[in-house]
Structures are given as C-alpha cells and as structure tokens.
Amino acid sequence: MPTLNADVIVIGSGSAGATAAGRIAMQGGARVMVIEAGGRDWNPLLRVPLMTGILLRNRYANWFYHTEPEPNLGNRRIFWPRGKVLGGSSAINGMVWTRGLPSDYDHWAQMGLPDWSWDKVLRSYREIEGHWAGETEVHGGSGPQRLSTYDAINPLSQAFLDAGQQAGHARTSDFNGPAPDGVGRYDYTISGGRRMSAASAFLDPAKEGGNLQVLTGARVLRIVTERGRATGVELAIGRRRVTVHAGHEIILSAGTVNSPQILMLSGIGPADALRGHGIDVVADSPGVGQNLRDHLLVRVEYDCTQPVTLHNLLRADRAGMALLEALGRGTGPAARFPLEAGAFLRSDPALDEADLQAHFLPGRSTAAVRMPFGGQPDRGHGFFANVYQMRPDSTGEIALRSADPFDAPSIRPNYLSAPRDLAVLRSGVRQLREIFAQPAFDAFRGAECAPGPDRQTDAELDAWIRQVADTVFHPVGTCRMGADPASVVDGQLRLRGIEGLRVADASVMPTMPSCNTGAPSQMIGAKAADFVIADLTGKAVA
C-alpha cells in the first residue's frame, strides 16, 4: 500500500475544509494535503450562478443523499444534496452569504466556548470577506472570499421589499449588519458574475506556494490511529489503496453527514453501535452522529399576471443564450442568483429577535419546474418566497448503515418532532401571505398556488406543511462542540479522546446559526486554521 506524507491532512474541500487548508498552507508554512472524494471543479457550468437549481438536483458533483422516511412529514424520504467536488457544497449551493445573529455566537460562548463569542468570530469573518462595500466595522474589504450584490433587481423582488414595508416590517440595508430585522437584499459569493466557491477563494491562491497538494477522487476508508493518536488516513483512489501519513495533525472537514460517518468507520463513536457493525472501538464517543439539526422550509407561491419572471428563460433558445453570455462574459440573467430579496421575521412580535428567514424568487421553484426539454406541463409565470425557522428545536441523527465505507449513512433529521417548530413555521406562512396581500403586489399577483386559498385554519396549514415541507440544505451539529465531556470536540475543535485530530465544519455547531450555513462554515474553517497555525508556530491565537 503506497504511503504519502504531509504535515497537515485536511479531509474535505468544502466551505470549511478549503478555508482551513488554504490559510494553513499560506500562513503556517506547513505541507498541507487536501483529500476530496469528488472530482476537480473544472466544469465551467459550476461557475454559472443560475445553474444552482440544476446542480442541487442532479447527480453530478453531488452525494445525492436521501433521508430515511420522516414520520412527521408523511413518511417521505427527503432529498439531501451535498457537494461532491472540489469546493464541496460551496460549489453547488445558493451562494447566499449570511453570518447569523451576534446572539447565536454569544450563546455559544455562554455554553463554555469563549473562543466563539461574536467579537471573536467577527474577526474571522472580516478576514475572510472581500465585501463589495469595502472595509467597515462589520465587514472585511480585502479578504479572499469576494462578495457581491446587484445594482438593479427584478420588479417582483422590488415589490417584495415594498410589500414587506407596507406590511409593517422594517427595511434593513444589511442582513449581516447591526439591524438585520425586516426585509432586505442578500450578498452572494459571486465575483464578476461567476460563482466563487471556497476552493476558488482559498485553495487556488494557496497552490502557488508549492506546499499544498490536492487529491481528488479519493474516498476515505478510515482515519488511522496509533496509541490514542490520529496518524494517517487510508484512502481508496480507484482500485488503489493509499495511506497518507500526517506529521502534525488531521482536520476532518467532510461535513455534517460524512464527518460522523468517517469517525464511526474509524472506530470513534457510540461503542455499542460500532460493535454491532463489527467495527473495533477506538474511542467511545456517544455524541458522534447525534444533535443533527436542519432548516425546514415551505414555499408560498402565486401565479404572476405579468411576464417578468424567470419563466422567460425556460425557452431553450433563451436559456442557451443566457448560458453562453454567463460563460463568456459573466453577465446576463444566468450570471445572477435570483434570490434577490428576503426577510428576517419574528413568529411572535414579543420575541427579542427574528426567528424566521425567507428568500424571495421571481419565478417558480426548480423543485417543481423542469428546465428546457423537461416533461412537466408549463405552468406559466409565477413567483414564491420560502420561509423556515432559523433555530429549530427538533434534533435527529446520522448513523452507519453498515461498515462499508461506500454505503451511504442513515440520515434521520426527525423534522417537526418538537411541537413548537410546526407552530413557528405556520406563523411564517401567514406572514408571507400578509406580505403578498399588500398593494405592491396588486399589479403582479395572480391566484395563490400554495398553500392555496382552501387552506386557512391551523389544522389545514399544518397538514399542508407536513405534506410539502423540504430541506434548505443546512444540516449541522453531528460532531457537537462543547465544554462538557459529552461533546465530540472541545472549544478548539480537538476530538475528545484522540490526539492529533480536529473536526472543522458545520457538524461542530452546537446549535443552529440564524442564517444560511455557508458563511459560518467558512468562519469555522478559518478559526481551525488559526488554532493549527498557533500550534505550528507557537504563537497564541489573537
């Protein structure tokens, strides 16, 4: 079995892994090897923002997971896309850049994690960001992750902003600023009309230094441990078996699904469950795979009476021209991501902070619309907004299905198992209806398609939610960070019970952040790099 060597091994090249690897390679002076199960990100379609709807629902560059039947969602299996390509999910996601509320992180600090207070994570965010507005007290202007917004938006997106104010909601200038409540416009990980994944932002610049190596098409079989220390990684690259030895340490950044799976395949996890699969127990860590949380959405949708929606792009010739323009110039409708507006709302006006997030799209969802040459009937022009509870109480788990590394794990989110979650989501539906009922939409509003005018009572809305609710692709929490002995990793992301191994991705989040999870995952990768660089150089983390 061939053996390769590196100072630091990073398993996974997604939002956190690419950020950690690039920063360590450029600032830590270490030889870094990134291991990615997917392929290279050479396909130019990965750079086209409007391709997101197709990439998320296609097997290309996608683990294409499904949950087990969900008991509170009519026993439906929910589709869970996860990026399987250089850049991970940042190569196929919606590119919306939201960081969460300061209280999210101050709550983590109150849980015994002082390195994760808002003032500490803000420093990392500012180092990451190359914000379109430049350097401010809350944004970085020169970071490698370029962010953009749009000067002009669809008239329907403007109507959503105007209608939100007519419904009594504030207008915020920055969902990542000091007053994120109300309606506003999003920032995106788009630069020059092209998607900028974490791999583009952090790995590409680091390659020039010569101390970063990337292995793609490399499936992790297990993490090798010797006398309580992680020393290497066994891989399958095609039919070859390869071992990579880590001179300093290993960072596991394979995501909320794959990180706990890899730990359990390596003998780190709930001892009884591991033995049940015939896996030798290296460290009994019952929390591995537990504490799974995800954002669950529903869509409130209307027909549109004017031809101003994305439906115009469903004609094959127009779609083709838009794609060519985006590929060649980085301009045109395909060079934009259409979730141009959104809202942070409160399910109860008595709440101190928003607990609902919405995204508005001037078209129909790709969950219901086929692109050109699809077989579904043409439903014409329409628009919708989704809404989800930002901090759900329901928790689930990731478990091994077998000891075979090529067997997808069992995913059980246990959506809506906490009664409050359903009530919060129902409130979100009613608030979107109220926004769409405002005068700003009078010129555009056709019939309500979903939930539909026949669903008005709590019981009718609850039944509809259980029938149609879907994931927002934001799973977190399965390798929980904490100060207590039951947590999987400590406040510096070090795995409890095994030396030389950290976990750095969305799986370490102890609770859900109030936002899309791409930006927080990059922040976690940045802080992981700081911890590793401090160990390598002997300099304390600022």
Side-chain angles (χ1 to χ4, degrees), residues 113 116 480-484 487-496 502-503 508 531:
L113 300 166
W116 299 87
R480 180 178 66 86
M481 172 174 57
D484 58 296
S487 59
V488 178
V489 299
D490 68 11
Q492 292 202 356
L493 306 177
R494 295 171 295 206
L495 192 83
R496 296 190 184 278
R502 295 181 209 252
V503 182
V508 305
F531 296 142

Side-chain angles (χ1 to χ4, degrees), residues 90-102:
S90 73
I92 67 171
N93 69 2
M95 298 162 287
V96 173
W97 186 264
T98 50
R99 305 183 308 197
L101 303 176

